[in-house]
Amino acid sequence: MARTEVAQHRRRPIIRMEQHAAHQQPPRRRHGYTVRFDVGGVPGHLTTNAYPDGKLGELWVHVDRQGSPVSGFLDSLSAAVSLGLQHGVPLERYVARYVGMHFEPCGQVSDPDIGYAHSVPDYVFRRLALDYLDQATCAQLGIRSE
């Protein structure tokens, strides 16, 4: 393959944000919760904050293994998802993408609504779906409480 063909082959489509997707800053005083979890022996906590209308606006996921690759990944994922939510990406898109994702740690979950998770993101987005989406949307996405 010629050099120009390789360069053309590697080009990725440009993703542009729509003009109406303005940043919706969360209010100064927020409604949310913090829940402790344990996925396959790895403890952590999920903190959420919502807009006054109840729509999820930001989240943080921390595991009790500071400095580990999983901890760094979850910090980055939390920031990226929060930014997307604040720019209008629906929670359903994240749930559809991350539920069922398989990697360590995985296993039994301390949350009785979920029971087993294939990864920490799998657990987090199942929990968020159960808390912030209606039953019909959860059913459509294959999310159910144990």
Side-chain angles (χ1 to χ4, degrees):
M1 208 181 296
R3 187 176 195 169
T4 55
E5 290 173 352
V6 170
Q8 288 175 347
H9 180 69
R10 289 186 183 169
R11 285 189 186 151
R12 295 186 179 130
I14 296 173
I15 300 172
R16 299 182 196 278
M17 261 195 336
E18 295 184 27
Q19 295 300 324
H20 68 275
H23 182 234
Q24 184 181 0
Q25 187 70 25
R28 192 173 141 269
R29 184 171 280 232
R30 300 167 182 142
H31 301 281
Y33 63 80
T34 298
V35 62
R36 298 244 352 123
F37 63 82
D38 185 301
V39 175
V42 176
H45 61 276
L46 164 66
T47 302
T48 69
N49 281 315
Y51 294 104
D53 65 0
K55 189 173 122 182
L56 182 63
E58 55 191 356
L59 65 112
W60 295 275
V61 182
H62 297 283
V63 292
D64 295 344
R65 291 185 179 177
Q66 287 297 75
S68 73
V70 170
S71 177
F73 165 73
L74 292 171
D75 286 345
S76 298
L77 179 66
S78 299
V81 170
S82 294
L83 189 61
L85 290 168
Q86 293 168 16
H87 280 87
V89 177
L91 177 59
E92 295 92 324
R93 302 267 312 261
Y94 289 113
V95 170
R97 183 69 173 160
Y98 289 104
V99 164
M101 185 174 274
H102 293 256
F103 59 87
E104 295 291 328
C106 64
Q108 294 299 314
V109 179
S110 58
D111 187 332
D113 291 335
I114 300 192
Y116 185 90
H118 299 288
S119 63
V120 175
D122 177 52
Y123 166 74
V124 166
F125 287 97
R126 285 178 191 277
R127 179 76 269 152
L128 293 173
L130 291 171
D131 293 344
Y132 287 97
L133 300 177
D134 59 51
Q135 287 182 343
T137 304
C138 285
Q140 183 181 8
L141 292 168
I143 307 296
R144 58 185 166 78
S145 181
E146 291 292 311

PDB file of all heavy atoms in Angstrom, residues 5 34 37 52 55 89 101 129:
ATOM      1  N   GLU A   5      -2.125   6.064   0.556  1.00  0.00           N
ATOM      2  CA  GLU A   5      -3.248   5.163   0.801  1.00  0.00           C
ATOM      3  C   GLU A   5      -3.334   4.815   2.291  1.00  0.00           C
ATOM      4  O   GLU A   5      -4.421   4.720   2.847  1.00  0.00           O
ATOM      5  CB  GLU A   5      -3.123   3.891  -0.027  1.00  0.00           C
ATOM      6  CG  GLU A   5      -3.325   4.122  -1.509  1.00  0.00           C
ATOM      7  CD  GLU A   5      -3.028   2.880  -2.324  1.00  0.00           C
ATOM      8  OE1 GLU A   5      -2.525   1.899  -1.756  1.00  0.00           O
ATOM      9  OE2 GLU A   5      -3.298   2.894  -3.528  1.00  0.00           O
ATOM     10  N   THR A  34     -24.775   8.710  47.475  1.00  0.00           N
ATOM     11  CA  THR A  34     -23.532   7.940  47.433  1.00  0.00           C
ATOM     12  C   THR A  34     -23.889   6.531  47.877  1.00  0.00           C
ATOM     13  O   THR A  34     -24.562   6.348  48.887  1.00  0.00           O
ATOM     14  CB  THR A  34     -22.456   8.530  48.357  1.00  0.00           C
ATOM     15  OG1 THR A  34     -22.140   9.847  47.907  1.00  0.00           O
ATOM     16  CG2 THR A  34     -21.193   7.685  48.352  1.00  0.00           C
ATOM     17  N   PHE A  37     -20.265  -0.045  47.206  1.00  0.00           N
ATOM     18  CA  PHE A  37     -20.429  -1.308  46.492  1.00  0.00           C
ATOM     19  C   PHE A  37     -19.179  -2.146  46.648  1.00  0.00           C
ATOM     20  O   PHE A  37     -18.136  -1.667  47.096  1.00  0.00           O
ATOM     21  CB  PHE A  37     -20.748  -1.075  45.005  1.00  0.00           C
ATOM     22  CG  PHE A  37     -19.647  -0.383  44.236  1.00  0.00           C
ATOM     23  CD1 PHE A  37     -18.550  -1.089  43.742  1.00  0.00           C
ATOM     24  CD2 PHE A  37     -19.714   0.977  43.989  1.00  0.00           C
ATOM     25  CE1 PHE A  37     -17.550  -0.459  43.029  1.00  0.00           C
ATOM     26  CE2 PHE A  37     -18.722   1.623  43.270  1.00  0.00           C
ATOM     27  CZ  PHE A  37     -17.633   0.904  42.797  1.00  0.00           C
ATOM     28  N   PRO A  52     -32.434  19.598  39.098  1.00  0.00           N
ATOM     29  CA  PRO A  52     -33.710  19.677  39.833  1.00  0.00           C
ATOM     30  C   PRO A  52     -34.829  18.829  39.221  1.00  0.00           C
ATOM     31  O   PRO A  52     -35.707  18.361  39.940  1.00  0.00           O
ATOM     32  CB  PRO A  52     -34.064  21.170  39.772  1.00  0.00           C
ATOM     33  CG  PRO A  52     -32.744  21.856  39.643  1.00  0.00           C
ATOM     34  CD  PRO A  52     -31.904  20.924  38.802  1.00  0.00           C
ATOM     35  N   LYS A  55     -32.930  14.520  36.377  1.00  0.00           N
ATOM     36  CA  LYS A  55     -32.051  13.964  35.344  1.00  0.00           C
ATOM     37  C   LYS A  55     -30.604  13.947  35.851  1.00  0.00           C
ATOM     38  O   LYS A  55     -30.128  14.917  36.436  1.00  0.00           O
ATOM     39  CB  LYS A  55     -32.166  14.837  34.084  1.00  0.00           C
ATOM     40  CG  LYS A  55     -31.484  14.272  32.879  1.00  0.00           C
ATOM     41  CD  LYS A  55     -31.797  15.127  31.668  1.00  0.00           C
ATOM     42  CE  LYS A  55     -30.510  15.611  31.081  1.00  0.00           C
ATOM     43  NZ  LYS A  55     -30.649  16.488  29.948  1.00  0.00           N
ATOM     44  N   VAL A  89     -25.863  14.173  26.199  1.00  0.00           N
ATOM     45  CA  VAL A  89     -25.847  12.755  25.836  1.00  0.00           C
ATOM     46  C   VAL A  89     -26.784  12.026  26.794  1.00  0.00           C
ATOM     47  O   VAL A  89     -26.633  12.135  28.015  1.00  0.00           O
ATOM     48  CB  VAL A  89     -24.424  12.154  25.918  1.00  0.00           C
ATOM     49  CG1 VAL A  89     -24.449  10.665  25.604  1.00  0.00           C
ATOM     50  CG2 VAL A  89     -23.480  12.887  24.987  1.00  0.00           C
ATOM     51  N   MET A 101     -20.148  -5.083  29.790  1.00  0.00           N
ATOM     52  CA  MET A 101     -18.711  -5.013  29.529  1.00  0.00           C
ATOM     53  C   MET A 101     -17.991  -5.967  30.493  1.00  0.00           C
ATOM     54  O   MET A 101     -18.221  -5.926  31.695  1.00  0.00           O
ATOM     55  CB  MET A 101     -18.234  -3.579  29.718  1.00  0.00           C
ATOM     56  CG  MET A 101     -16.790  -3.369  29.369  1.00  0.00           C
ATOM     57  SD  MET A 101     -16.354  -1.621  29.458  1.00  0.00           S
ATOM     58  CE  MET A 101     -16.826  -1.104  27.817  1.00  0.00           C
ATOM     59  N   ALA A 129     -29.074   2.937  35.733  1.00  0.00           N
ATOM     60  CA  ALA A 129     -30.301   2.671  34.977  1.00  0.00           C
ATOM     61  C   ALA A 129     -31.464   2.433  35.933  1.00  0.00           C
ATOM     62  O   ALA A 129     -32.552   2.996  35.753  1.00  0.00           O
ATOM     63  CB  ALA A 129     -30.110   1.468  34.059  1.00  0.00           C
TER      64      ALA A 129
END
